[in-house]
Amino acid sequence: MKALWAALLFLLSAVFTACGLPTEWLGDAPPPPMETGVTVNVLAVGQGDAILIRTAEQTILIDTGDTSETGRLREALKKEGVRRVDKLIITHPHRDHIGGAATVFRFCDVKEVYDNGQPTSTNVYRDYLKTIQKKEIPSRTLRDGDVLDLGGGATLRVLSPTQEMVDERGMQNGKVNLNLNSIVARLEYGEFAMMLTGDAEAPTEMGILKRYAPELLRCRLLKAGHHGSKTASCSKFLQALEADAVLVSCGANNEYHCPHPSVLTRYEKQEMDVYRTDQDGTLTVRTDGKTYTIETERNK
Ligand SMILES: [Zn+2]
C-alpha cells in the first residue's frame, strides 16, 4: 500500500513540476514573436497615390493610383502579400486616386470602404459605386472628428473635410475643385504620427489650422498634399506640422512638374528631408510607436 501511495505522489509531483516548468517541458524553442508596430508603404504607382498601412491586426489602403497604373498597383500588392484589405479609403474621386479601385476589388477581399461622399460623374466613379453595391461591401463617409480604429493600437484621426465643405462641393472661383474635400487624416500610433493629405490644397490646410489644436497637427512625417503641387503644402501648414520629413508620391517626369520647385524650397526652409516615389521607388516607413525608419526601394 505504501509503495502505491509513493508511486501516486511521485506521479502527481512530476505533473505539477512539468506544469510549472514549461520551458523544460517544451524544450528551448523561443516564444513566437509579438506582432506589433505599424508599417506604411507609399507605393510607387506613378502620378497618383496608393498608401498601404499595416497594423498588427489590419491592412488599410488609402487610394489606389491611376487607371493607367493598375498593373503597378497589382504588382505592389502582390509583392506585399496583400489579399485582404480591411479598410479601403478613397480620399477623393479623381482618377489618380480611385483609378485602381476595380483592381483592388478584383484581387483583394475588401471588408469596408470609406470615402468623402462627394459624387462625381466619371465612369470610374460610377463603376466604383456599382461594385460596392454588387459585392455588398459596407461603406461610409468620413468627416472631420471621426476616429477609425486600425487595430493593434493604431488610429486614423480624420481632420477634413467638414460636412459644410462637402455641402459647398469644394467650390473655388465658381468651379468645383474636388481636391479641396480630400480626406485628410492623421495616422497615430503611440508617439508616432503621420499626416495623410490626399490632394488637399492650401484652403483645406488653412481650415485644418483653424479647427485643430497644435498638438493634433504635429507629426513626424507628412505625405505631401497634391503630389507636391504648388497649390498645397502652404508654409503655415508646414510650420504647424513640425514634421521631420515629407514623402511625395509622383510620377517620373510628370506633366504637372510635381513636386514644384517652390514647394521643395518650402520643405527645405522647414528643414524637412524629402523622399519621392519617382526617384526613390516605394517608400517604407516602419514605426514601433516611438521611433521610425524610412526605407527606399532604390538606394538614395
Ligand atoms: Zn492626385
Side-chain angles (χ1 to χ4, degrees), residues 3 30 57 90 116 119 130 137 143 170 179 187 216 233 237 287:
E57 291 166 27
I90 302 292
N116 70 0
K130 264 189 217 162
I137 303 171
R143 292 289 174 262
N179 288 341
L187 170 66
L216 284 180
S233 300
F237 190 61
T287 177

Side-chain angles (χ1 to χ4, degrees), residues 110-151:
V110 179
K111 298 292 185 193
E112 290 173 339
V113 178
Y114 298 83
D115 59 33
N116 70 0
Q118 182 167 356
T120 186
S121 57
T122 58
N123 286 339
V124 65
Y125 179 71
R126 257 185 245 137
D127 290 347
Y128 157 82
L129 288 186
K130 264 189 217 162
T131 309
I132 291 171
Q133 216 174 12
K134 199 173 140 199
K135 288 184 173 261
E136 297 180 355
I137 303 171
S139 67
R140 56 169 283 213
T141 56
L142 292 177
R143 292 289 174 262
D144 73 316
D146 287 343
V147 178
L148 291 184
D149 181 2
L150 306 185

Side-chain angles (χ1 to χ4, degrees), residues 47-49 92 94 96-97 179 198-199 226-227:
Q47 185 66 18
D49 271 12
H92 67 298
H94 272 153
D96 58 324
H97 295 255
N179 288 341
D199 277 358
H226 201 195
H227 320 284

Side-chain angles (χ1 to χ4, degrees), residues 36 56 74 89 91 102 130 150 152 164 166 198 206 244-245 269 287 289:
T36 58
R74 197 188 157 194
I89 301 172
T91 60
K130 264 189 217 162
L150 306 185
E164 197 186 349
V166 176
M206 293 308 287
D244 307 333
K269 268 191 189 162
T287 177

